[in-house]
Coordinates of all heavy atoms in Angstrom, one line a residue:
M1 N -18.5 1.8 24.2 CA -17.5 0.8 24.3 C -16.9 0.5 22.9 O -17.6 0.4 21.9 CB -18.1 -0.5 25.0 CG -17.0 -1.2 25.8 SD -17.8 -2.5 26.8 CE -17.3 -3.9 26.0
T2 N -15.6 0.3 22.9 CA -15.0 0.0 21.6 C -15.4 -1.4 21.1 O -15.3 -2.3 21.9 CB -13.5 0.1 21.8 OG1 -13.1 1.2 22.5 CG2 -12.8 0.1 20.4
P3 N -15.7 -1.5 19.8 CA -16.0 -2.9 19.3 C -14.7 -3.7 19.3 O -13.6 -3.2 18.9 CB -16.5 -2.6 17.9 CG -16.2 -1.2 17.6 CD -15.9 -0.5 18.8
L4 N -14.8 -4.9 19.7 CA -13.7 -5.8 19.8 C -14.0 -7.1 19.1 O -15.1 -7.5 19.0 CB -13.4 -6.1 21.3 CG -12.8 -5.0 22.1 CD1 -12.8 -5.4 23.6 CD2 -11.4 -4.6 21.7
P5 N -12.9 -7.8 18.5 CA -13.2 -9.1 17.9 C -13.6 -10.1 18.9 O -13.2 -10.1 20.1 CB -11.8 -9.4 17.3 CG -10.8 -8.6 18.0 CD -11.5 -7.3 18.4
K6 N -14.6 -10.9 18.5 CA -15.2 -11.9 19.4 C -14.2 -13.0 19.8 O -14.2 -13.4 21.0 CB -16.4 -12.5 18.8 CG -17.3 -13.3 19.7 CD -18.6 -13.7 19.1 CE -19.6 -12.5 19.2 NZ -20.9 -12.9 18.7
K7 N -13.4 -13.4 18.9 CA -12.5 -14.5 19.2 C -11.1 -14.1 18.7 O -10.9 -13.3 17.7 CB -12.9 -15.8 18.5 CG -14.1 -16.4 19.2 CD -14.4 -17.8 18.6 CE -15.5 -18.4 19.4 NZ -15.8 -19.8 18.9
K8 N -10.1 -14.7 19.3 CA -8.7 -14.5 18.8 C -8.5 -15.2 17.4 O -9.0 -16.3 17.3 CB -7.7 -15.1 19.8 CG -6.3 -15.0 19.3 CD -5.3 -15.7 20.3 CE -3.9 -15.7 19.8 NZ -3.0 -16.3 20.7
R9 N -7.8 -14.5 16.5 CA -7.5 -15.1 15.2 C -6.1 -15.8 15.4 O -5.2 -15.2 15.9 CB -7.4 -14.1 14.1 CG -8.7 -13.3 13.9 CD -8.8 -12.8 12.5 NE -9.1 -13.8 11.6 CZ -9.3 -13.6 10.3 NH1 -9.2 -12.4 9.8 NH2 -9.6 -14.6 9.4
T10 N -6.1 -17.1 15.0 CA -4.9 -17.8 15.2 C -3.8 -17.3 14.3 O -4.0 -16.6 13.3 CB -5.1 -19.3 14.9 OG1 -5.5 -19.4 13.5 CG2 -6.2 -19.9 15.8
R11 N -2.5 -17.8 14.5 CA -1.4 -17.4 13.7 C -1.6 -17.9 12.2 O -1.2 -17.2 11.3 CB -0.1 -18.1 14.2 CG 0.5 -17.3 15.4 CD 1.8 -17.9 15.8 NE 1.5 -19.1 16.6 CZ 2.5 -19.9 17.1 NH1 3.7 -19.5 17.0 NH2 2.2 -20.9 17.8
R12 N -2.3 -19.0 12.1 CA -2.6 -19.6 10.8 C -3.6 -18.6 10.0 O -3.4 -18.3 8.9 CB -3.1 -21.0 10.9 CG -3.5 -21.6 9.6 CD -4.0 -23.0 9.8 NE -4.5 -23.6 8.6 CZ -4.7 -24.9 8.4 NH1 -4.4 -25.7 9.3 NH2 -5.1 -25.3 7.2
Q13 N -4.6 -18.2 10.7 CA -5.6 -17.3 10.1 C -5.0 -16.0 9.7 O -5.2 -15.4 8.6 CB -6.8 -17.1 11.0 CG -7.7 -18.3 11.2 CD -8.7 -18.1 12.3 OE1 -8.4 -17.5 13.3 NE2 -9.9 -18.6 12.0
R14 N -4.1 -15.5 10.6 CA -3.5 -14.2 10.4 C -2.5 -14.3 9.2 O -2.5 -13.5 8.3 CB -2.7 -13.8 11.6 CG -2.0 -12.5 11.6 CD -1.2 -12.2 12.8 NE -0.1 -13.2 12.9 CZ 0.5 -13.5 14.0 NH1 0.1 -13.1 15.2 NH2 1.5 -14.4 14.0
G15 N -1.8 -15.5 9.1 CA -0.9 -15.7 8.0 C -1.7 -15.8 6.6 O -1.2 -15.3 5.6
H16 N -2.8 -16.5 6.7 CA -3.6 -16.6 5.5 C -4.1 -15.3 5.0 O -4.1 -15.0 3.8 CB -4.8 -17.5 5.7 CG -4.6 -18.9 5.5 ND1 -4.7 -19.5 4.3 CD2 -4.2 -19.9 6.3 CE1 -4.4 -20.8 4.3 NE2 -4.1 -21.1 5.6
N17 N -4.4 -14.4 5.9 CA -4.9 -13.0 5.5 C -3.7 -12.2 4.9 O -3.8 -11.6 3.9 CB -5.4 -12.3 6.7 CG -6.0 -11.0 6.4 OD1 -6.5 -10.8 5.3 ND2 -6.0 -10.1 7.3
R18 N -2.6 -12.3 5.6 CA -1.4 -11.5 5.2 C -0.7 -12.0 3.9 O 0.1 -11.3 3.3 CB -0.4 -11.4 6.3 CG -0.9 -10.6 7.4 CD 0.1 -10.5 8.6 NE -0.5 -9.7 9.7 CZ 0.1 -9.6 10.9 NH1 1.3 -10.1 11.0 NH2 -0.5 -8.9 11.8
A19 N -1.1 -13.3 3.5 CA -0.5 -13.8 2.3 C -0.9 -13.0 1.1 O -0.2 -13.1 0.0 CB -0.9 -15.3 2.1
H20 N -1.9 -12.3 1.1 CA -2.4 -11.5 -0.1 C -2.2 -10.0 0.0 O -2.8 -9.3 -0.7 CB -3.9 -11.8 -0.3 CG -4.2 -13.3 -0.4 ND1 -4.0 -14.0 -1.5 CD2 -4.7 -14.2 0.5 CE1 -4.3 -15.3 -1.3 NE2 -4.7 -15.4 -0.1
Q21 N -1.5 -9.6 1.0 CA -1.3 -8.2 1.2 C 0.0 -7.6 0.7 O 0.2 -6.4 0.9 CB -1.4 -7.9 2.8 CG -2.8 -8.1 3.3 CD -2.8 -7.9 4.8 OE1 -1.8 -7.6 5.4 NE2 -4.0 -7.9 5.4
A22 N 0.8 -8.4 0.0 CA 2.1 -7.9 -0.5 C 1.8 -6.9 -1.6 O 0.9 -7.0 -2.4 CB 2.9 -9.1 -1.1
L23 N 2.7 -5.8 -1.6 CA 2.6 -4.8 -2.6 C 3.4 -5.3 -3.8 O 4.4 -5.9 -3.7 CB 3.2 -3.5 -2.1 CG 2.5 -2.8 -1.0 CD1 3.3 -1.6 -0.5 CD2 1.1 -2.4 -1.4
S24 N 2.9 -4.9 -5.0 CA 3.6 -5.2 -6.2 C 4.3 -4.0 -6.8 O 3.9 -2.8 -6.5 CB 2.7 -5.8 -7.3 OG 1.7 -4.8 -7.6
L25 N 5.5 -4.2 -7.5 CA 6.2 -3.0 -8.0 C 5.4 -2.4 -9.2 O 4.7 -3.2 -9.9 CB 7.6 -3.5 -8.5 CG 8.6 -3.9 -7.4 CD1 9.8 -4.5 -8.1 CD2 9.0 -2.7 -6.6
P26 N 5.5 -1.1 -9.4 CA 4.8 -0.5 -10.5 C 5.4 -0.9 -11.8 O 6.6 -1.1 -11.9 CB 5.0 1.0 -10.2 CG 6.2 1.1 -9.4 CD 6.2 -0.1 -8.6
A27 N 4.6 -1.1 -12.8 CA 5.0 -1.4 -14.2 C 5.8 -0.3 -14.8 O 5.4 0.9 -14.7 CB 3.9 -1.8 -15.1
V28 N 7.0 -0.5 -15.4 CA 7.7 0.5 -16.0 C 8.1 0.1 -17.4 O 8.2 -1.0 -17.8 CB 9.0 0.8 -15.2 CG1 8.7 1.5 -13.9 CG2 9.8 -0.4 -15.0
A29 N 8.3 1.1 -18.3 CA 8.8 0.9 -19.6 C 9.8 2.0 -20.0 O 10.1 2.9 -19.1 CB 7.6 1.0 -20.6
R30 N 10.5 1.9 -21.1 CA 11.5 2.9 -21.5 C 10.9 3.7 -22.7 O 10.3 3.1 -23.6 CB 12.7 2.1 -22.0 CG 13.6 1.7 -20.9 CD 15.0 2.3 -20.9 NE 15.7 1.8 -19.8 CZ 16.0 2.5 -18.7 NH1 15.7 3.8 -18.7 NH2 16.6 2.0 -17.7
C31 N 11.2 5.0 -22.6 CA 10.8 5.9 -23.7 C 11.7 5.6 -24.9 O 12.9 5.6 -24.8 CB 10.9 7.3 -23.3 SG 10.6 8.5 -24.6
L32 N 11.1 5.4 -26.1 CA 11.9 5.1 -27.3 C 12.6 6.3 -27.8 O 13.6 6.2 -28.6 CB 11.0 4.5 -28.4 CG 10.4 3.1 -28.0 CD1 9.5 2.7 -29.1 CD2 11.5 2.1 -27.8
S33 N 12.2 7.5 -27.4 CA 12.8 8.7 -27.9 C 14.0 9.1 -27.0 O 15.1 9.4 -27.5 CB 11.8 9.8 -27.9 OG 12.4 11.0 -28.2
C34 N 13.8 9.2 -25.7 CA 14.9 9.8 -24.8 C 15.4 8.7 -23.9 O 16.4 9.0 -23.2 CB 14.4 11.0 -24.1 SG 13.1 10.6 -22.9
G35 N 14.8 7.5 -23.8 CA 15.3 6.5 -22.9 C 14.9 6.6 -21.5 O 15.4 5.9 -20.6
N36 N 14.1 7.6 -21.2 CA 13.6 7.9 -19.8 C 12.7 6.7 -19.4 O 12.0 6.1 -20.2 CB 12.9 9.2 -19.8 CG 12.6 9.6 -18.4 OD1 13.3 9.4 -17.4 ND2 11.4 10.2 -18.2
T37 N 12.7 6.4 -18.1 CA 11.8 5.4 -17.5 C 10.4 6.0 -17.4 O 10.3 7.0 -16.7 CB 12.3 4.9 -16.2 OG1 13.7 4.4 -16.4 CG2 11.5 3.8 -15.7
I38 N 9.4 5.4 -18.0 CA 8.1 5.9 -18.0 C 7.1 4.8 -17.5 O 7.4 3.7 -17.5 CB 7.7 6.5 -19.4 CG1 7.8 5.4 -20.4 CG2 8.5 7.7 -19.7 CD1 7.2 5.7 -21.7
R39 N 5.9 5.2 -17.2 CA 4.8 4.3 -17.0 C 4.2 3.9 -18.3 O 4.1 4.7 -19.2 CB 3.7 5.0 -16.1 CG 4.1 5.5 -14.8 CD 4.5 4.4 -13.8 NE 3.5 3.3 -13.8 CZ 2.4 3.2 -13.0 NH1 2.1 4.2 -12.3 NH2 1.7 2.2 -13.0
P40 N 3.9 2.6 -18.5 CA 3.4 2.2 -19.8 C 2.0 2.8 -20.1 O 1.3 3.1 -19.2 CB 3.3 0.7 -19.7 CG 3.4 0.4 -18.2 CD 4.1 1.5 -17.6
H41 N 1.7 3.0 -21.4 CA 0.5 3.6 -21.9 C 0.3 5.0 -21.4 O -0.8 5.5 -21.3 CB -0.7 2.8 -21.4 CG -0.6 1.3 -21.7 ND1 -0.6 0.8 -23.0 CD2 -0.4 0.2 -20.9 CE1 -0.4 -0.5 -22.9 NE2 -0.3 -0.9 -21.7
R42 N 1.4 5.7 -21.2 CA 1.4 7.2 -20.8 C 2.4 7.9 -21.6 O 3.5 7.3 -22.0 CB 1.6 7.4 -19.3 CG 0.4 7.0 -18.5 CD 0.8 6.8 -17.0 NE -0.2 6.3 -16.2 CZ -0.6 5.1 -16.1 NH1 -0.1 4.1 -16.7 NH2 -1.6 4.8 -15.3
A43 N 2.2 9.2 -21.9 CA 3.2 10.0 -22.6 C 4.4 10.2 -21.7 O 4.3 10.3 -20.5 CB 2.5 11.3 -22.9
C44 N 5.6 10.3 -22.3 CA 6.8 10.5 -21.6 C 6.8 11.9 -21.0 O 6.5 12.9 -21.7 CB 8.0 10.4 -22.5 SG 9.6 10.7 -21.8
P45 N 7.1 12.1 -19.7 CA 7.0 13.4 -19.1 C 8.2 14.3 -19.5 O 8.2 15.5 -19.3 CB 7.1 13.1 -17.6 CG 7.7 11.8 -17.5 CD 7.3 11.0 -18.7
M46 N 9.3 13.7 -20.1 CA 10.5 14.5 -20.4 C 10.4 15.0 -21.9 O 10.8 16.1 -22.1 CB 11.7 13.6 -20.3 CG 12.1 13.3 -18.8 SD 12.3 14.7 -17.8 CE 13.9 15.3 -18.4
C47 N 9.9 14.2 -22.8 CA 9.9 14.6 -24.2 C 8.5 14.6 -24.8 O 8.3 15.0 -25.9 CB 10.8 13.8 -25.0 SG 10.3 12.0 -25.2
G48 N 7.5 14.1 -24.1 CA 6.1 14.1 -24.6 C 5.8 13.0 -25.6 O 4.8 13.1 -26.3
N49 N 6.8 12.1 -25.8 CA 6.6 11.1 -26.9 C 5.5 10.1 -26.5 O 5.4 9.6 -25.3 CB 7.9 10.3 -27.1 CG 7.7 9.2 -28.0 OD1 7.2 9.3 -29.1 ND2 8.1 8.0 -27.6
Y50 N 4.5 9.9 -27.4 CA 3.5 8.8 -27.2 C 3.2 8.2 -28.5 O 2.7 8.9 -29.4 CB 2.3 9.4 -26.5 CG 1.3 8.3 -26.2 CD1 1.4 7.5 -25.1 CD2 0.3 7.9 -27.1 CE1 0.6 6.5 -24.8 CE2 -0.6 6.9 -26.8 CZ -0.4 6.2 -25.7 OH -1.3 5.1 -25.4
N51 N 3.6 7.0 -28.7 CA 3.4 6.2 -30.0 C 4.0 7.0 -31.2 O 3.3 7.1 -32.2 CB 1.8 6.0 -30.2 CG 1.5 4.9 -31.1 OD1 2.4 4.0 -31.3 ND2 0.3 4.8 -31.6
G52 N 5.2 7.5 -31.0 CA 5.9 8.1 -32.1 C 5.5 9.5 -32.4 O 6.0 10.1 -33.4
R53 N 4.6 10.2 -31.7 CA 4.3 11.6 -31.9 C 4.4 12.3 -30.5 O 4.6 11.7 -29.5 CB 2.8 11.7 -32.4 CG 1.8 11.1 -31.5 CD 0.4 11.2 -32.1 NE -0.6 10.5 -31.2 CZ -1.2 11.2 -30.2 NH1 -0.9 12.5 -30.0 NH2 -2.0 10.6 -29.5
T54 N 4.3 13.6 -30.6 CA 4.4 14.4 -29.4 C 3.0 14.9 -29.0 O 2.3 15.5 -29.8 CB 5.3 15.7 -29.6 OG1 6.6 15.2 -30.1 CG2 5.5 16.4 -28.4
V55 N 2.7 14.7 -27.7 CA 1.4 15.1 -27.2 C 1.5 16.7 -26.9 O 2.6 17.2 -26.8 CB 1.0 14.4 -25.9 CG1 0.8 12.9 -26.2 CG2 2.1 14.6 -24.8
P56 N 0.4 17.4 -26.9 CA 0.4 18.8 -26.7 C 1.0 19.1 -25.3 O 0.7 18.4 -24.3 CB -1.0 19.3 -26.8 CG -1.7 18.2 -27.5 CD -1.0 16.9 -27.2
G57 N 1.8 20.2 -25.2 CA 2.4 20.6 -23.9 C 3.8 21.0 -24.1 O 4.4 20.9 -25.2
K58 N 4.4 21.5 -23.0 CA 5.8 21.9 -23.0 C 6.6 20.9 -22.3 O 6.3 20.4 -21.2 CB 6.0 23.3 -22.3 CG 5.5 24.4 -23.1 CD 5.9 25.7 -22.5 CE 5.5 26.9 -23.4 NZ 5.9 28.2 -22.9
F59 N 7.8 20.4 -22.9 CA 8.6 19.4 -22.4 C 10.1 19.8 -22.4 O 10.4 20.5 -23.3 CB 8.4 18.1 -23.1 CG 7.0 17.6 -23.1 CD1 6.2 17.8 -24.2 CD2 6.5 17.0 -22.0 CE1 4.8 17.4 -24.2 CE2 5.1 16.5 -22.0 CZ 4.3 16.8 -23.1
P60 N 10.9 19.4 -21.4 CA 12.3 19.9 -21.4 C 13.1 19.3 -22.6 O 14.1 19.9 -23.0 CB 12.8 19.4 -20.1 CG 11.8 18.4 -19.6 CD 10.5 18.7 -20.2
L61 N 12.7 18.1 -23.1 CA 13.5 17.5 -24.2 C 12.6 17.5 -25.5 O 11.4 17.6 -25.4 CB 13.9 16.1 -23.9 CG 14.8 15.9 -22.7 CD1 15.0 14.4 -22.4 CD2 16.1 16.5 -22.9
T62 N 13.3 17.4 -26.6 CA 12.6 17.3 -27.9 C 12.4 15.9 -28.3 O 13.2 15.0 -28.0 CB 13.3 18.0 -29.0 OG1 14.7 17.5 -29.1 CG2 13.4 19.5 -28.8
N63 N 11.3 15.5 -28.9 CA 10.9 14.2 -29.3 C 11.7 13.8 -30.5 O 11.5 14.4 -31.6 CB 9.4 14.1 -29.5 CG 9.0 12.6 -29.7 OD1 9.9 11.7 -29.9 ND2 7.7 12.4 -29.8
R64 N 12.6 12.8 -30.4 CA 13.5 12.5 -31.6 C 12.7 11.6 -32.6 O 13.1 11.5 -33.7 CB 14.7 11.7 -31.1 CG 15.7 12.6 -30.4 CD 17.0 11.9 -30.1 NE 16.8 10.9 -29.0 CZ 17.2 9.6 -29.1 NH1 17.7 9.2 -30.2 NH2 17.0 8.9 -28.1
L65 N 11.6 11.0 -32.2 CA 10.9 10.1 -33.0 C 9.9 10.9 -34.0 O 9.5 10.4 -35.0 CB 10.1 9.1 -32.2 CG 10.9 8.1 -31.4 CD1 9.9 7.2 -30.6 CD2 11.8 7.3 -32.3
E66 N 9.5 12.1 -33.6 CA 8.5 12.8 -34.3 C 9.1 13.2 -35.7 O 8.4 13.2 -36.7 CB 8.0 14.0 -33.6 CG 6.8 14.6 -34.1 CD 6.3 15.8 -33.3 OE1 7.1 16.6 -32.9 OE2 5.1 15.9 -33.1
S67 N 10.4 13.6 -35.8 CA 10.9 14.1 -37.0 C 11.3 13.0 -38.0 O 11.5 13.2 -39.2 CB 12.2 15.0 -36.7 OG 13.1 14.2 -36.1
R68 N 11.3 11.8 -37.5 CA 11.7 10.6 -38.3 C 10.6 10.3 -39.3 O 9.4 10.4 -39.0 CB 12.0 9.4 -37.4 CG 12.6 8.3 -38.2 CD 12.7 7.0 -37.3 NE 13.6 7.2 -36.2 CZ 13.7 6.3 -35.2 NH1 13.0 5.2 -35.3 NH2 14.6 6.5 -34.3
Q69 N 11.0 9.9 -40.5 CA 10.0 9.6 -41.6 C 9.4 8.2 -41.2 O 10.1 7.3 -40.7 CB 10.7 9.5 -42.9 CG 11.2 10.9 -43.4 CD 10.1 11.8 -43.7 OE1 9.0 11.5 -44.2 NE2 10.3 13.1 -43.2
P70 N 8.2 8.0 -41.6 CA 7.6 6.6 -41.4 C 8.4 5.5 -42.2 O 8.9 5.8 -43.3 CB 6.2 6.8 -41.9 CG 5.9 8.2 -41.9 CD 7.2 8.9 -42.1
V71 N 8.4 4.3 -41.6 CA 9.2 3.3 -42.2 C 8.6 2.9 -43.6 O 9.3 2.6 -44.6 CB 9.2 2.0 -41.3 CG1 9.9 0.9 -41.9 CG2 9.8 2.4 -40.0
A72 N 7.3 2.9 -43.7 CA 6.6 2.5 -45.0 C 7.0 3.4 -46.1 O 7.2 3.0 -47.2 CB 5.1 2.4 -44.8
A73 N 7.1 4.8 -45.8 CA 7.4 5.7 -46.9 C 8.8 5.6 -47.4 O 9.0 5.6 -48.6 CB 7.2 7.1 -46.3
T74 N 9.7 5.3 -46.5 CA 11.1 5.1 -46.9 C 11.3 3.9 -47.7 O 12.1 3.8 -48.7 CB 12.1 5.1 -45.7 OG1 11.6 4.1 -44.8 CG2 12.1 6.5 -45.0
A75 N 10.5 2.8 -47.4 CA 10.6 1.6 -48.1 C 10.1 1.7 -49.6 O 10.7 1.2 -50.5 CB 9.8 0.5 -47.4
T76 N 9.1 2.5 -49.8 CA 8.6 2.7 -51.2 C 9.5 3.6 -52.0 O 9.7 3.4 -53.2 CB 7.2 3.4 -51.1 OG1 7.3 4.5 -50.3 CG2 6.2 2.4 -50.6
E77 N 10.2 4.6 -51.3 CA 11.2 5.4 -52.0 C 12.3 4.6 -52.5 O 12.9 4.8 -53.6 CB 11.6 6.5 -51.1 CG 10.6 7.6 -50.9 CD 11.0 8.6 -49.8 OE1 12.1 8.4 -49.3 OE2 10.1 9.4 -49.4
D78 N 12.8 3.6 -51.7 CA 13.9 2.8 -52.1 C 13.5 1.9 -53.3 O 14.3 1.6 -54.2 CB 14.3 1.9 -50.9 CG 14.9 2.8 -49.8 OD1 15.3 3.9 -50.1 OD2 15.0 2.3 -48.7
A79 N 12.3 1.4 -53.3 CA 11.8 0.6 -54.4 C 11.8 1.3 -55.7 O 12.1 0.8 -56.8 CB 10.4 0.0 -54.1
E80 N 11.4 2.6 -55.7 CA 11.3 3.4 -56.9 C 12.7 3.7 -57.5 O 12.9 3.8 -58.7 CB 10.5 4.7 -56.6 CG 9.0 4.5 -56.3 CD 8.4 5.8 -55.8 OE1 9.1 6.8 -55.6 OE2 7.2 5.7 -55.4
A81 N 13.6 3.9 -56.6 CA 15.0 4.3 -57.1 C 15.8 3.2 -57.6 O 15.3 2.2 -58.1 CB 15.8 4.9 -55.9
Ligands
ZN1 ZN1 10.9 10.5 -23.7

């Protein structure tokens, strides 16, 4: 015999249960290199950018941030000149 609930759950009890069942939207971020929408804390699937460098692998786009000089190095060069 199929197990059945012993008592009917009221509309109020049902509503209390369902109040916590809503789905949340996934967190999204923008890739600073190509502008693609990505999941945060993950490498970009289009250009492989992660924290200003390119992770190993083949990607359809090139990472524009990797060739850029670090900000600290350019600041010291300006001070010397
Ligand atoms: Zn990207």
Side-chain angles (χ1 to χ4, degrees):
M1 211 168 110
T2 315
L4 289 170
K6 190 170 276 183
K7 287 188 175 177
K8 176 185 177 177
R9 300 204 76 180
T10 63
R11 279 184 285 184
R12 179 177 173 164
Q13 288 172 321
R14 186 184 64 206
H16 270 275
N17 186 30
R18 290 181 185 175
H20 305 281
Q21 292 178 354
L23 295 173
S24 60
L25 290 172
V28 289
R30 282 241 178 251
C31 175
L32 294 175
S33 172
C34 66
N36 189 35
T37 304
I38 57 171
R39 301 294 314 275
H41 309 291
R42 286 163 183 82
C44 175
M46 292 301 287
C47 65
N49 175 51
Y50 185 82
N51 201 17
R53 63 184 176 85
T54 305
V55 297
K58 287 190 173 180
F59 301 99
L61 298 176
T62 54
N63 188 352
R64 289 186 288 128
L65 295 180
E66 196 179 37
S67 59
R68 189 189 294 175
Q69 294 295 319
V71 177
T74 54
T76 53
E77 287 169 6
D78 293 342
E80 291 167 3

